[in-house]
Amino acid sequence: MAVFATGATGVEAKPLKVYILAGQSNMEGHAEVRTFDYIGKDPLTAPILKEMRNPDGTPRVCDKVWMSYLTGPYDGSANGEGLGKLTAGFGARGDQPTKDGGKIGPEFTFGIYMEKRLNEPILIIKTAWGGRSLNTEFRPPSAGQYKLPKEIQELWDKHPQGAHGIPKAEDRKKWQDEKDAASGVFYRMMIEHVKKVLADPKRVCPAYDPKEGYELAGFVWLQGFNDLVDGTTYPGPDKPGKYDVYSDLLAKFIRDVRKDLSAPKMPFVIGVLGVDGESKNVNFRKAMAAPADMPEFKGNVVAVETAPFWDDAIAAAQPKQGEYNNIVGTAHTLKKDGTFDRDWKWENYWKPVGKPLPEERIWRFATIDPTEKKDKMEKYDGRRFRDITLPAGMENWHMPDFDDNKWTEGKGPIGKGVWKHSGITLDKFPSTWGKGEFLLMRTTFKVEDLNYDSYRIAILESQGFHVYLNGQKIHTYIWWQDKPQYGSIVLGKEQVKFLKKGKNVLAVYANDQYETNSPEHYAAMDVRIEGITKANQEKLDLALEEVLSPKDRESLKGSSNGGYHYLGSAKIFAQMGKAFAEALLPFQK
């Protein structure tokens, strides 16, 4: 049977050191392996990268560190255990919990530096799920039932009929029942998994010797974001004391974990949430760190600040990346009246391919409604694009030799209703879509030469679509952005090969859109193929440096995710893991 201390054999035994890492998405870890190079560009962190990689550049595999990693979808509905020697890939895994996700969290360098200093077998048990709060899902048993703060209860009492974020009086028992049902679920999953692993450590760690037993040598907690943004549990303005409840819950969590694992003095590291850097979330960070200063925890609970590892260069570049992506993802912008904005700065680098020009082309089109029951929508739904059974004789509608002479003729965009977004109104269309939900449209154009270096689809659409060129499908998008602008889809070689000199047939299948709370349909459909020369691409790239500079691009190589995931930066997670290990090392026997 496993023990928590040295065995009584007359000689000094070496129990297997076991470390527990737990928390929410930042403990999962969203730093993709491709961001490793960025670590080496900073002289302060370059030495860490050397520890993380083999001489050939591949991620290191720790010979003496084994992992058991319980994770899964954020709701815990399909948990799975990842096993093996510690290496890269034990980060966030989403709905594939047993498979290498190509990401790291703090576990990677935590294990590397523990192994480096201890030079003995180590077992890491990691449990982490995204979007889980301490006040509910990780709620410790001794915290009891979740209760609304006094301020929130008084607010609810003033609105018995309900309001934004406030359930009706008759629904509040259900709300509390659901809260109670969710409370502590992930705490219990965590404890149950740790006990399962410790019941048979050799299943995970072949180096385990039952005669020597094991020692619960440390616990690392990295969580907090869902509590930080929970205005119901922590109401009021951001000021000192706002998050005192979190401090109390975390203290209870530490006591309960130690009790449930029969490890009353197990060293505990609080990874203090550091998203947005040292100048932000100060009151929450103080509340997270507070238990470390409690007299009962003096000497065996340590708070490690992670805010100093925040990367300001990446954080500054990310909004610019968003602006850049919007520009390159937009082919053409529109004025308020729906006409082309020819003065848009990025408008004239790409050129229309073929004659007649897109605005002069004649489309032939037909609209249809689903006729078979399986194809019909039972209710209004925002995500409506789907393939339906076409009327007899229209199965090959997209092929070049299809006879469309009886279809309606008109110029694009083909539309219906009123499409209002972002201050732009589309309500005057050259051609009327008609009553049908789905649209089939075809046009021809002639190409004299293929001298462009890259080609793209410029498309105006509110729902999903299929695009065909000369009878071949060159693109599908099942959930298009409902924006009044032409999107840009750059074509690869496999799509461009269907474009030819001479006559080309462009065909599109699409459906209309509606607001989910209104039966009023609207649509606007237009498609064109455009090209850009190498010279114009170079000019465009140079102009876009005003938006996203080479320095910004270099910084973004170190990022693979959003802000509250520590920018998905391996540099940040590597520093955290190392700091957590260093915080626990003084406690090691």
Short mmCIF file of all heavy atoms in Angstrom, two decimals, residues 495-547:
data_model
loop_
_atom_site.label_atom_id
_atom_site.label_comp_id
_atom_site.label_asym_id
_atom_site.label_seq_id
_atom_site.Cartn_x
_atom_site.Cartn_y
_atom_site.Cartn_z
N GLN A 495 -7.23 25.08 -56.40
CA GLN A 495 -8.43 25.76 -56.89
C GLN A 495 -8.13 26.54 -58.18
O GLN A 495 -8.92 26.54 -59.12
CB GLN A 495 -8.97 26.73 -55.83
CG GLN A 495 -9.56 26.06 -54.60
CD GLN A 495 -8.50 25.64 -53.61
OE1 GLN A 495 -7.52 26.34 -53.40
NE2 GLN A 495 -8.69 24.48 -52.99
N VAL A 496 -6.95 27.18 -58.21
CA VAL A 496 -6.61 28.04 -59.36
C VAL A 496 -6.48 27.23 -60.65
O VAL A 496 -6.73 27.74 -61.75
CB VAL A 496 -5.30 28.80 -59.06
CG1 VAL A 496 -4.81 29.55 -60.31
CG2 VAL A 496 -5.51 29.79 -57.92
N LYS A 497 -6.13 25.95 -60.54
CA LYS A 497 -5.91 25.15 -61.74
C LYS A 497 -7.17 25.01 -62.60
O LYS A 497 -7.09 24.68 -63.79
CB LYS A 497 -5.39 23.76 -61.38
CG LYS A 497 -6.38 22.86 -60.67
CD LYS A 497 -5.73 21.52 -60.32
CE LYS A 497 -6.73 20.58 -59.65
NZ LYS A 497 -6.09 19.29 -59.26
N PHE A 498 -8.34 25.30 -62.03
CA PHE A 498 -9.58 25.21 -62.81
C PHE A 498 -9.88 26.48 -63.59
O PHE A 498 -10.80 26.51 -64.41
CB PHE A 498 -10.76 24.87 -61.88
CG PHE A 498 -10.58 23.56 -61.16
CD1 PHE A 498 -10.52 23.51 -59.77
CD2 PHE A 498 -10.46 22.38 -61.87
CE1 PHE A 498 -10.34 22.32 -59.11
CE2 PHE A 498 -10.29 21.16 -61.22
CZ PHE A 498 -10.23 21.13 -59.83
N LEU A 499 -9.11 27.55 -63.31
CA LEU A 499 -9.26 28.79 -64.08
C LEU A 499 -8.48 28.64 -65.38
O LEU A 499 -7.34 28.19 -65.37
CB LEU A 499 -8.73 29.97 -63.26
CG LEU A 499 -8.88 31.36 -63.86
CD1 LEU A 499 -10.35 31.73 -63.99
CD2 LEU A 499 -8.14 32.39 -62.99
N LYS A 500 -9.07 29.01 -66.50
CA LYS A 500 -8.42 28.77 -67.80
C LYS A 500 -8.58 29.96 -68.73
O LYS A 500 -9.44 30.84 -68.51
CB LYS A 500 -9.02 27.52 -68.44
CG LYS A 500 -10.52 27.67 -68.75
CD LYS A 500 -11.10 26.37 -69.31
CE LYS A 500 -12.58 26.58 -69.65
NZ LYS A 500 -13.19 25.33 -70.20
N LYS A 501 -7.75 29.98 -69.73
CA LYS A 501 -7.91 30.99 -70.78
C LYS A 501 -9.17 30.66 -71.57
O LYS A 501 -9.54 29.50 -71.72
CB LYS A 501 -6.71 30.99 -71.71
CG LYS A 501 -5.43 31.52 -71.08
CD LYS A 501 -4.30 31.57 -72.09
CE LYS A 501 -3.02 32.09 -71.47
NZ LYS A 501 -1.90 32.13 -72.45
N GLY A 502 -9.81 31.70 -72.06
CA GLY A 502 -11.04 31.51 -72.80
C GLY A 502 -12.25 31.60 -71.89
O GLY A 502 -12.23 32.29 -70.85
N LYS A 503 -13.32 30.88 -72.24
CA LYS A 503 -14.58 30.98 -71.52
C LYS A 503 -14.51 30.23 -70.19
O LYS A 503 -14.04 29.11 -70.11
CB LYS A 503 -15.70 30.39 -72.37
CG LYS A 503 -17.06 30.41 -71.69
CD LYS A 503 -18.11 29.76 -72.59
CE LYS A 503 -19.46 29.67 -71.88
NZ LYS A 503 -20.48 29.02 -72.73
N ASN A 504 -15.00 30.89 -69.12
CA ASN A 504 -15.09 30.30 -67.78
C ASN A 504 -16.52 30.44 -67.27
O ASN A 504 -17.19 31.43 -67.57
CB ASN A 504 -14.14 30.99 -66.81
CG ASN A 504 -12.68 30.67 -67.08
OD1 ASN A 504 -12.11 29.78 -66.48
ND2 ASN A 504 -12.07 31.42 -68.00
N VAL A 505 -16.96 29.46 -66.52
CA VAL A 505 -18.29 29.50 -65.92
C VAL A 505 -18.15 29.51 -64.40
O VAL A 505 -17.55 28.61 -63.81
CB VAL A 505 -19.15 28.30 -66.35
CG1 VAL A 505 -20.51 28.34 -65.65
CG2 VAL A 505 -19.34 28.31 -67.87
N LEU A 506 -18.70 30.56 -63.79
CA LEU A 506 -18.68 30.70 -62.34
C LEU A 506 -20.09 30.46 -61.82
O LEU A 506 -21.05 31.04 -62.33
CB LEU A 506 -18.22 32.12 -61.97
CG LEU A 506 -18.03 32.46 -60.49
CD1 LEU A 506 -16.93 31.60 -59.85
CD2 LEU A 506 -17.69 33.94 -60.34
N ALA A 507 -20.24 29.59 -60.83
CA ALA A 507 -21.56 29.24 -60.31
C ALA A 507 -21.54 29.26 -58.78
O ALA A 507 -20.53 28.91 -58.17
CB ALA A 507 -21.99 27.87 -60.81
N VAL A 508 -22.67 29.67 -58.20
CA VAL A 508 -22.75 29.80 -56.74
C VAL A 508 -24.08 29.25 -56.23
O VAL A 508 -25.14 29.50 -56.83
CB VAL A 508 -22.61 31.28 -56.30
CG1 VAL A 508 -22.59 31.37 -54.78
CG2 VAL A 508 -21.37 31.91 -56.89
N TYR A 509 -24.01 28.52 -55.13
CA TYR A 509 -25.19 28.03 -54.40
C TYR A 509 -25.17 28.72 -53.05
O TYR A 509 -24.16 28.71 -52.35
CB TYR A 509 -25.08 26.51 -54.24
CG TYR A 509 -26.03 25.86 -53.26
CD1 TYR A 509 -27.22 25.29 -53.71
CD2 TYR A 509 -25.73 25.75 -51.91
CE1 TYR A 509 -28.08 24.64 -52.82
CE2 TYR A 509 -26.57 25.11 -51.01
CZ TYR A 509 -27.75 24.56 -51.47
OH TYR A 509 -28.60 23.92 -50.61
N ALA A 510 -26.30 29.33 -52.67
CA ALA A 510 -26.33 30.07 -51.40
C ALA A 510 -27.76 30.10 -50.86
O ALA A 510 -28.71 29.72 -51.56
CB ALA A 510 -25.81 31.48 -51.59
N ASN A 511 -27.91 30.56 -49.63
CA ASN A 511 -29.26 30.77 -49.10
C ASN A 511 -29.36 32.13 -48.44
O ASN A 511 -28.35 32.78 -48.15
CB ASN A 511 -29.67 29.65 -48.14
CG ASN A 511 -28.96 29.70 -46.82
OD1 ASN A 511 -27.75 29.93 -46.77
ND2 ASN A 511 -29.67 29.46 -45.74
N ASP A 512 -30.61 32.57 -48.20
CA ASP A 512 -30.81 33.89 -47.61
C ASP A 512 -30.67 33.82 -46.09
O ASP A 512 -30.35 32.79 -45.51
CB ASP A 512 -32.15 34.49 -48.05
CG ASP A 512 -33.34 33.67 -47.57
OD1 ASP A 512 -33.18 32.82 -46.67
OD2 ASP A 512 -34.45 33.87 -48.09
N GLN A 513 -30.94 34.94 -45.44
CA GLN A 513 -30.73 35.06 -44.00
C GLN A 513 -31.95 35.75 -43.39
O GLN A 513 -32.73 36.40 -44.09
CB GLN A 513 -29.46 35.89 -43.75
CG GLN A 513 -29.16 36.26 -42.31
CD GLN A 513 -28.75 35.06 -41.48
OE1 GLN A 513 -29.51 34.10 -41.35
NE2 GLN A 513 -27.56 35.10 -40.91
N TYR A 514 -32.09 35.57 -42.07
CA TYR A 514 -33.10 36.34 -41.36
C TYR A 514 -32.67 36.45 -39.90
O TYR A 514 -31.85 35.68 -39.41
CB TYR A 514 -34.49 35.70 -41.44
CG TYR A 514 -34.54 34.23 -41.07
CD1 TYR A 514 -34.27 33.78 -39.79
CD2 TYR A 514 -34.90 33.28 -42.03
CE1 TYR A 514 -34.33 32.44 -39.46
CE2 TYR A 514 -34.96 31.93 -41.71
CZ TYR A 514 -34.68 31.52 -40.43
OH TYR A 514 -34.73 30.19 -40.10
N GLU A 515 -33.21 37.44 -39.22
CA GLU A 515 -33.00 37.53 -37.79
C GLU A 515 -33.82 36.42 -37.14
O GLU A 515 -34.93 36.12 -37.56
CB GLU A 515 -33.45 38.89 -37.26
CG GLU A 515 -32.67 40.07 -37.82
CD GLU A 515 -31.22 40.08 -37.37
OE1 GLU A 515 -30.91 39.43 -36.35
OE2 GLU A 515 -30.40 40.72 -38.04
N THR A 516 -33.28 35.81 -36.09
CA THR A 516 -33.97 34.68 -35.48
C THR A 516 -35.29 35.07 -34.82
O THR A 516 -36.12 34.22 -34.55
CB THR A 516 -33.07 33.99 -34.45
OG1 THR A 516 -32.61 34.97 -33.50
CG2 THR A 516 -31.87 33.35 -35.13
N ASN A 517 -35.49 36.35 -34.56
CA ASN A 517 -36.74 36.79 -33.94
C ASN A 517 -37.67 37.49 -34.95
O ASN A 517 -38.61 38.18 -34.56
CB ASN A 517 -36.45 37.74 -32.77
CG ASN A 517 -35.68 38.97 -33.21
OD1 ASN A 517 -35.30 39.08 -34.37
ND2 ASN A 517 -35.43 39.87 -32.27
N SER A 518 -37.38 37.32 -36.23
CA SER A 518 -38.20 37.98 -37.25
C SER A 518 -38.30 37.10 -38.49
O SER A 518 -37.32 36.45 -38.87
CB SER A 518 -37.59 39.33 -37.63
OG SER A 518 -38.22 39.85 -38.79
N PRO A 519 -39.46 37.09 -39.14
CA PRO A 519 -39.60 36.30 -40.37
C PRO A 519 -39.13 37.04 -41.62
O PRO A 519 -39.25 36.51 -42.72
CB PRO A 519 -41.11 36.04 -40.43
CG PRO A 519 -41.70 37.26 -39.81
CD PRO A 519 -40.75 37.67 -38.72
N GLU A 520 -38.61 38.27 -41.47
CA GLU A 520 -38.21 39.06 -42.62
C GLU A 520 -36.87 38.55 -43.18
O GLU A 520 -35.84 38.68 -42.53
CB GLU A 520 -38.10 40.53 -42.25
CG GLU A 520 -39.42 41.16 -41.86
CD GLU A 520 -40.44 41.11 -42.98
OE1 GLU A 520 -40.04 41.30 -44.15
OE2 GLU A 520 -41.63 40.87 -42.70
N HIS A 521 -36.88 38.02 -44.39
CA HIS A 521 -35.67 37.50 -45.01
C HIS A 521 -34.91 38.62 -45.72
O HIS A 521 -35.49 39.58 -46.20
CB HIS A 521 -36.03 36.41 -46.02
CG HIS A 521 -36.60 35.18 -45.39
ND1 HIS A 521 -36.00 33.94 -45.50
CD2 HIS A 521 -37.70 34.98 -44.63
CE1 HIS A 521 -36.71 33.04 -44.85
NE2 HIS A 521 -37.76 33.65 -44.32
N TYR A 522 -33.59 38.46 -45.79
CA TYR A 522 -32.78 39.40 -46.55
C TYR A 522 -31.60 38.66 -47.14
O TYR A 522 -31.22 37.57 -46.69
CB TYR A 522 -32.30 40.57 -45.67
CG TYR A 522 -31.47 40.17 -44.49
CD1 TYR A 522 -30.07 40.09 -44.59
CD2 TYR A 522 -32.04 39.89 -43.26
CE1 TYR A 522 -29.30 39.73 -43.50
CE2 TYR A 522 -31.27 39.53 -42.17
CZ TYR A 522 -29.90 39.45 -42.29
OH TYR A 522 -29.13 39.10 -41.22
N ALA A 523 -30.99 39.24 -48.17
CA ALA A 523 -29.86 38.59 -48.83
C ALA A 523 -29.22 39.58 -49.79
O ALA A 523 -29.84 40.56 -50.22
CB ALA A 523 -30.31 37.35 -49.60
N ALA A 524 -27.96 39.31 -50.13
CA ALA A 524 -27.25 40.04 -51.18
C ALA A 524 -26.12 39.14 -51.63
O ALA A 524 -25.27 38.76 -50.83
CB ALA A 524 -26.71 41.37 -50.66
N MET A 525 -26.14 38.76 -52.90
CA MET A 525 -25.19 37.78 -53.40
C MET A 525 -24.45 38.30 -54.62
O MET A 525 -25.07 38.71 -55.60
CB MET A 525 -25.95 36.49 -53.76
CG MET A 525 -25.04 35.32 -54.08
SD MET A 525 -24.29 34.63 -52.60
CE MET A 525 -22.62 34.33 -53.18
N ASP A 526 -23.13 38.27 -54.52
CA ASP A 526 -22.29 38.64 -55.66
C ASP A 526 -20.94 37.97 -55.47
O ASP A 526 -20.44 37.86 -54.34
CB ASP A 526 -22.12 40.16 -55.75
CG ASP A 526 -21.51 40.61 -57.07
OD1 ASP A 526 -21.59 39.83 -58.05
OD2 ASP A 526 -20.96 41.71 -57.13
N VAL A 527 -20.36 37.51 -56.56
CA VAL A 527 -19.07 36.81 -56.51
C VAL A 527 -18.25 37.24 -57.72
O VAL A 527 -18.78 37.38 -58.83
CB VAL A 527 -19.24 35.28 -56.53
CG1 VAL A 527 -17.89 34.59 -56.35
CG2 VAL A 527 -20.22 34.82 -55.49
N ARG A 528 -16.97 37.40 -57.50
CA ARG A 528 -16.06 37.72 -58.59
C ARG A 528 -14.70 37.10 -58.30
O ARG A 528 -14.36 36.87 -57.14
CB ARG A 528 -15.96 39.23 -58.79
CG ARG A 528 -15.69 40.00 -57.52
CD ARG A 528 -15.84 41.50 -57.71
NE ARG A 528 -17.22 41.90 -57.97
CZ ARG A 528 -17.57 43.13 -58.36
NH1 ARG A 528 -16.64 44.04 -58.53
NH2 ARG A 528 -18.84 43.42 -58.56
N ILE A 529 -13.93 36.83 -59.34
CA ILE A 529 -12.57 36.32 -59.18
C ILE A 529 -11.61 37.43 -59.54
O ILE A 529 -11.78 38.11 -60.56
CB ILE A 529 -12.34 35.06 -60.04
CG1 ILE A 529 -13.18 33.91 -59.50
CG2 ILE A 529 -10.86 34.67 -60.04
CD1 ILE A 529 -13.06 32.62 -60.27
N GLU A 530 -10.61 37.63 -58.68
CA GLU A 530 -9.65 38.72 -58.87
C GLU A 530 -8.23 38.19 -58.73
O GLU A 530 -7.99 37.13 -58.15
CB GLU A 530 -9.90 39.81 -57.82
CG GLU A 530 -11.30 40.40 -57.94
CD GLU A 530 -11.67 41.36 -56.82
OE1 GLU A 530 -11.07 41.23 -55.72
OE2 GLU A 530 -12.56 42.20 -57.05
N GLY A 531 -7.28 38.96 -59.27
CA GLY A 531 -5.89 38.54 -59.21
C GLY A 531 -4.98 39.67 -58.77
O GLY A 531 -5.35 40.85 -58.83
N ILE A 532 -3.78 39.31 -58.35
CA ILE A 532 -2.80 40.32 -57.94
C ILE A 532 -1.42 39.89 -58.45
O ILE A 532 -1.06 38.70 -58.41
CB ILE A 532 -2.78 40.50 -56.41
CG1 ILE A 532 -1.93 41.72 -56.01
CG2 ILE A 532 -2.29 39.25 -55.69
CD1 ILE A 532 -2.07 42.10 -54.53
N THR A 533 -0.66 40.86 -58.97
CA THR A 533 0.70 40.59 -59.45
C THR A 533 1.66 40.59 -58.27
O THR A 533 1.35 41.10 -57.18
CB THR A 533 1.15 41.64 -60.45
OG1 THR A 533 1.17 42.93 -59.79
CG2 THR A 533 0.21 41.70 -61.65
N LYS A 534 2.83 40.02 -58.49
CA LYS A 534 3.84 40.00 -57.44
C LYS A 534 4.23 41.43 -57.04
O LYS A 534 4.40 41.72 -55.86
CB LYS A 534 5.07 39.24 -57.92
CG LYS A 534 6.15 39.09 -56.86
CD LYS A 534 7.33 38.26 -57.37
CE LYS A 534 8.40 38.13 -56.30
NZ LYS A 534 9.56 37.34 -56.80
N ALA A 535 4.32 42.31 -58.04
CA ALA A 535 4.70 43.70 -57.75
C ALA A 535 3.65 44.38 -56.88
O ALA A 535 3.99 45.09 -55.91
CB ALA A 535 4.89 44.48 -59.05
N ASN A 536 2.38 44.18 -57.20
CA ASN A 536 1.32 44.78 -56.40
C ASN A 536 1.23 44.15 -55.02
O ASN A 536 0.89 44.83 -54.04
CB ASN A 536 -0.02 44.67 -57.11
CG ASN A 536 -0.33 45.88 -57.96
OD1 ASN A 536 0.36 46.89 -57.90
ND2 ASN A 536 -1.37 45.78 -58.77
N GLN A 537 1.51 42.85 -54.93
CA GLN A 537 1.51 42.20 -53.62
C GLN A 537 2.60 42.79 -52.73
O GLN A 537 2.39 43.02 -51.54
CB GLN A 537 1.72 40.70 -53.77
CG GLN A 537 1.63 39.91 -52.46
CD GLN A 537 0.23 39.92 -51.87
OE1 GLN A 537 -0.70 39.38 -52.46
NE2 GLN A 537 0.07 40.52 -50.69
N GLU A 538 3.75 43.06 -53.32
CA GLU A 538 4.84 43.67 -52.55
C GLU A 538 4.47 45.08 -52.08
O GLU A 538 4.77 45.47 -50.95
CB GLU A 538 6.12 43.70 -53.39
CG GLU A 538 6.72 42.31 -53.62
CD GLU A 538 7.90 42.33 -54.56
OE1 GLU A 538 8.17 43.39 -55.19
OE2 GLU A 538 8.57 41.28 -54.68
N LYS A 539 3.80 45.82 -52.96
CA LYS A 539 3.34 47.16 -52.57
C LYS A 539 2.31 47.08 -51.45
O LYS A 539 2.34 47.88 -50.51
CB LYS A 539 2.73 47.88 -53.78
CG LYS A 539 3.73 48.25 -54.86
CD LYS A 539 3.02 48.91 -56.04
CE LYS A 539 3.99 49.25 -57.16
NZ LYS A 539 3.29 49.84 -58.33
N LEU A 540 1.39 46.12 -51.57
CA LEU A 540 0.37 45.95 -50.54
C LEU A 540 1.01 45.56 -49.21
O LEU A 540 0.65 46.10 -48.15
CB LEU A 540 -0.64 44.89 -50.99
CG LEU A 540 -1.73 44.50 -49.98
CD1 LEU A 540 -2.56 45.71 -49.58
CD2 LEU A 540 -2.64 43.42 -50.58
N ASP A 541 1.94 44.62 -49.26
CA ASP A 541 2.61 44.17 -48.03
C ASP A 541 3.34 45.33 -47.36
O ASP A 541 3.31 45.47 -46.13
CB ASP A 541 3.60 43.05 -48.33
CG ASP A 541 2.91 41.76 -48.73
OD1 ASP A 541 1.70 41.62 -48.43
OD2 ASP A 541 3.58 40.89 -49.32
N LEU A 542 3.99 46.17 -48.17
CA LEU A 542 4.71 47.32 -47.61
C LEU A 542 3.74 48.30 -46.98
O LEU A 542 3.98 48.83 -45.89
CB LEU A 542 5.51 48.01 -48.72
CG LEU A 542 6.41 49.17 -48.27
CD1 LEU A 542 7.47 48.68 -47.29
CD2 LEU A 542 7.08 49.83 -49.48
N ALA A 543 2.60 48.55 -47.65
CA ALA A 543 1.60 49.47 -47.09
C ALA A 543 1.01 48.92 -45.80
O ALA A 543 0.74 49.67 -44.86
CB ALA A 543 0.50 49.71 -48.12
N LEU A 544 0.82 47.61 -45.73
CA LEU A 544 0.23 46.99 -44.54
C LEU A 544 1.17 47.01 -43.33
O LEU A 544 0.73 46.78 -42.21
CB LEU A 544 -0.18 45.55 -44.85
CG LEU A 544 -1.47 45.39 -45.65
CD1 LEU A 544 -1.62 43.97 -46.16
CD2 LEU A 544 -2.68 45.79 -44.81
N GLU A 545 2.45 47.31 -43.57
CA GLU A 545 3.37 47.44 -42.44
C GLU A 545 3.00 48.64 -41.56
O GLU A 545 3.42 48.72 -40.41
CB GLU A 545 4.81 47.57 -42.94
CG GLU A 545 5.37 46.26 -43.48
CD GLU A 545 6.82 46.35 -43.88
OE1 GLU A 545 7.43 47.43 -43.64
OE2 GLU A 545 7.36 45.36 -44.40
N GLU A 546 2.23 49.56 -42.11
CA GLU A 546 1.73 50.66 -41.29
C GLU A 546 0.76 50.15 -40.22
O GLU A 546 0.61 50.74 -39.15
CB GLU A 546 0.99 51.69 -42.16
CG GLU A 546 1.86 52.34 -43.22
CD GLU A 546 1.03 53.26 -44.12
OE1 GLU A 546 -0.07 53.65 -43.70
OE2 GLU A 546 1.50 53.58 -45.22
N VAL A 547 0.10 49.05 -40.54
CA VAL A 547 -0.87 48.46 -39.61
C VAL A 547 -0.18 47.46 -38.70
O VAL A 547 -0.38 47.46 -37.48
CB VAL A 547 -2.00 47.76 -40.40
CG1 VAL A 547 -3.00 47.11 -39.44
CG2 VAL A 547 -2.69 48.75 -41.32
#
